[in-house]
Amino acid sequence: MDNFMAARSQMALSLGFHIIFSCIGMVMPFFMAVSHFMYLKTNNINYQHVTKAWSKGVAIFFATGAVSGTVLSFELGLLWPTFMKHAGPIFGMPFSLEGTAFFIEAIALGFFLYGWGRFNKWFHWFTGVIVGVSGLASGILVVAANAWMNSPTGFKLVDGKYTDIDPIKAMFNPAWFSQALHMCVAAFAATGFAVAGVHALMILRKRNVGFHMRSFRIAAIFGVVAAILQPLSGDISAKMVAKRQPAKLAAMEAHFKTEPYSPLIIGGIPDVKNQKVDYAIEIPGMLSFMAHDDFKTPVKGLDQIPLADQPPVAVTHYAFQFMVGLGMAMMALGVIYLIALAKKKSWFTKQWFLTLFIAATPLGFIAVEAGWTVTEVGRQPWIIQGVMRTKDAVTPMPGIGYSFYLFTAVYFTLSIAVIFLLYRQIKMVPVLYDTTAESSAH
């Protein structure tokens, strides 16, 4: 493995792990705040138990997210020094603000964890809300930095030098809103379905049903609403990609030929050599409509993009199809949940209903990983879209392959530790809490 591939692989591995920790870390506090609010309003002890259990999960993911995020920050400088030399002064502001949000989150989490019985009950609840808000702000700020790489603004490039730098304009680049919205909604959907799936399993096993039913309903509501809204955020994001990164859109859709009534490709196997997609379902004009709000307007295909500037088509297309397919499956399950909530409350205890949520536990995070694959692989060969190529930014330092193997071991060890801690936490719930008074949520 050469340095270039080792550096890219290490960055992909680090981001792949961190995105899971960070999504859960910035969404779970909102679940926690809702259950805490329900406890304060109803004085139902089950909600207090749910809040305390989830707060321990928040602490676990806060710690692991901090570790993996710190590693990512160092990797930007170690693996991509040329990139940081030129880009650091331009898009450094969101990273510095993210640090501030992180410290606020850490302080608020400390207040919340150790504030039971020590603070005014509503101030205590408010500290939990601050944990969620600051965590969400951290995520948005980091995504804003990534969006700048996809839509670089806030500077002028003159004779190879970056001048007239405007950090505010760089942070609020044209892609930041659509990308941040899509990522935040995805985080809520993925975390909601994952948490709901774990509690659905406990309900199916008839373990501490009152506790797990309340947990399930809070998590499921967040996940369902986010999954139903996700196509709207996806449409906004896709329109921005069509405008700012036509090569990425073409690779996502395996769209080889520029033509009116550009078809939407569903599935299929891209044949890059022969510029076609085998075994695909085509909907004529739909890609044109989705990109330009007009069925006839041509969508720029790969035939108008120089070969050296084209992203890997197969990887980008498959990742995009996975993301969309899993998103639609989650949305369908969300509709089923809403039907149960409105008219079929007996479904909540049915084996088939709970089994669907158990099966959906990993779907959101697989979709998130696929989405980030589209974002990063679809931008290639650029590390800064249209400005700097990835190969020109990699470190000349030898031995990056060994670093990749070391970090692989570290991340897998960290993941095993997280799984062990969460498993122990779930097993301890029936021991720690006496919730036999009620067997279902109202």
Side-chain angles (χ1 to χ4, degrees):
M1 184 184 294
D2 61 23
N3 263 13
F4 179 58
M5 285 307 299
R8 287 191 64 190
S9 299
Q10 184 173 326
M11 204 70 191
L13 174 82
S14 302
L15 181 61
F17 276 97
H18 178 68
I19 197 67
I20 295 176
F21 299 148
S22 60
C23 281
I24 298 174
M26 72 184 193
V27 169
M28 278 293 293
F30 289 100
F31 298 2
M32 179 183 76
V34 169
S35 63
H36 193 187
F37 179 82
M38 293 300 296
Y39 166 63
L40 295 177
K41 293 294 289 184
T42 66
N43 207 32
N44 186 315
I45 195 68
N46 273 295
Y47 285 117
Q48 184 191 52
H49 296 159
V50 171
T51 304
K52 288 186 174 182
W54 276 350
S55 69
K56 293 178 181 178
V58 169
I60 291 170
F61 281 103
F62 176 82
T64 53
V67 171
S68 58
T70 302
V71 170
L72 269 172
S73 298
F74 282 117
E75 284 178 341
L76 282 172
L78 292 172
L79 301 178
W80 313 103
T82 305
F83 166 71
M84 290 305 295
K85 175 184 176 182
H86 295 289
I90 305 171
F91 82 147
M93 179 172 286
F95 281 120
S96 62
L97 293 175
E98 191 274 336
T100 303
F102 172 80
F103 283 119
I104 294 173
E105 183 182 6
I107 294 168
L109 181 59
F111 279 4
F112 188 82
L113 291 175
Y114 298 102
W116 290 97
R118 294 180 174 88
F119 296 139
N120 172 276
K121 64 180 183 178
W122 287 107
F123 175 77
H124 183 219
W125 171 80
F126 182 69
T127 62
V129 174
I130 293 298
V131 174
V133 172
S134 55
L136 191 63
S138 293
I140 291 172
L141 288 164
V142 171
V143 171
N146 181 269
W148 178 84
M149 296 164 68
N150 293 321
S151 181
T153 52
F155 67 96
K156 291 181 181 178
L157 185 59
V158 181
D159 297 328
K161 295 183 179 180
Y162 296 79
T163 62
D164 294 338
I165 294 173
D166 185 345
I168 300 295
K169 189 175 181 181
M171 184 168 68
F172 295 107
N173 59 81
W176 85 269
F177 175 77
S178 60
Q179 198 168 319
L181 176 66
H182 194 55
M183 182 65 240
C184 289
V185 176
F188 274 95
T191 305
F193 274 92
V195 174
V198 171
H199 291 291
L201 179 62
M202 296 298 105
I203 296 168
L204 197 59
R205 291 179 176 178
K206 300 189 184 305
R207 293 182 57 184
N208 213 342
V209 175
F211 171 90
H212 289 293
M213 183 61 80
R214 284 170 174 78
S215 305
F216 169 78
R217 289 198 176 184
I218 293 171
I221 283 291
F222 274 100
V224 164
V225 172
I228 292 173
L229 293 176
Q230 187 69 314
L232 299 177
S233 71
D235 181 65
I236 294 171
S237 186
K239 282 181 167 59
M240 179 55 64
V241 170
K243 181 178 179 180
R244 307 288 300 192
Q245 295 177 289
K248 178 186 285 187
L249 180 68
M252 287 161 54
E253 297 289 348
H255 181 56
F256 291 104
K257 186 179 179 181
T258 305
E259 58 185 351
Y261 301 100
S262 299
L264 177 69
I265 302 293
I266 301 175
I269 301 174
D271 182 349
V272 178
K273 182 179 179 181
N274 296 307
Q275 304 285 286
K276 64 176 184 175
V277 184
D278 298 320
Y279 313 113
I281 299 172
E282 294 189 7
I283 305 177
M286 186 55 67
L287 183 59
S288 293
F289 179 76
M290 294 175 70
H292 303 298
D293 294 324
D294 179 74
F295 287 101
K296 188 176 181 180
T297 304
V299 175
K300 190 174 184 178
L302 291 166
D303 58 344
Q304 290 192 3
I305 298 167
L307 186 61
D309 294 342
Q310 293 182 13
V313 176
V315 173
T316 308
H317 177 70
Y318 293 141
F320 179 68
Q321 295 294 312
F322 265 108
M323 179 187 70
V324 173
L326 293 174
M328 296 303 291
M330 292 164 64
M331 186 173 69
L333 184 52
V335 172
I336 293 173
Y337 181 89
L338 292 180
I339 293 172
L341 191 64
K343 296 183 178 181
K344 300 286 186 179
K345 287 185 169 55
S346 61
W347 287 3
F348 286 116
T349 55
K350 299 293 185 181
Q351 181 174 346
W352 66 267
F353 182 83
L354 295 170
T355 301
L356 284 177
F357 273 91
I358 295 168
T361 300
L363 298 189
F365 284 111
I366 296 173
V368 167
E369 297 286 8
W372 273 101
T373 299
V374 172
T375 298
E376 297 303 299
V377 176
R379 190 178 60 245
Q380 299 308 311
W382 306 100
I383 192 169
I384 307 175
Q385 180 69 40
V387 176
M388 180 184 292
R389 293 182 183 271
T390 309
K391 66 179 182 179
D392 297 329
V394 71
T395 178
M397 182 179 69
I400 298 300
Y402 297 108
S403 173
F404 167 66
Y405 299 133
L406 174 63
F407 276 90
T408 300
V410 168
Y411 274 111
F412 274 103
T413 302
L414 184 62
S415 298
I416 291 170
V418 170
I419 292 170
F420 170 74
L421 290 171
L422 292 176
Y423 177 73
R424 190 178 71 168
Q425 178 64 24
I426 293 170
K427 284 195 70 175
M428 287 175 66
V429 166
V431 177
L432 287 173
Y433 305 128
D434 177 15
T435 57
T436 57
E438 293 180 291
S439 62
S440 63
H442 297 287

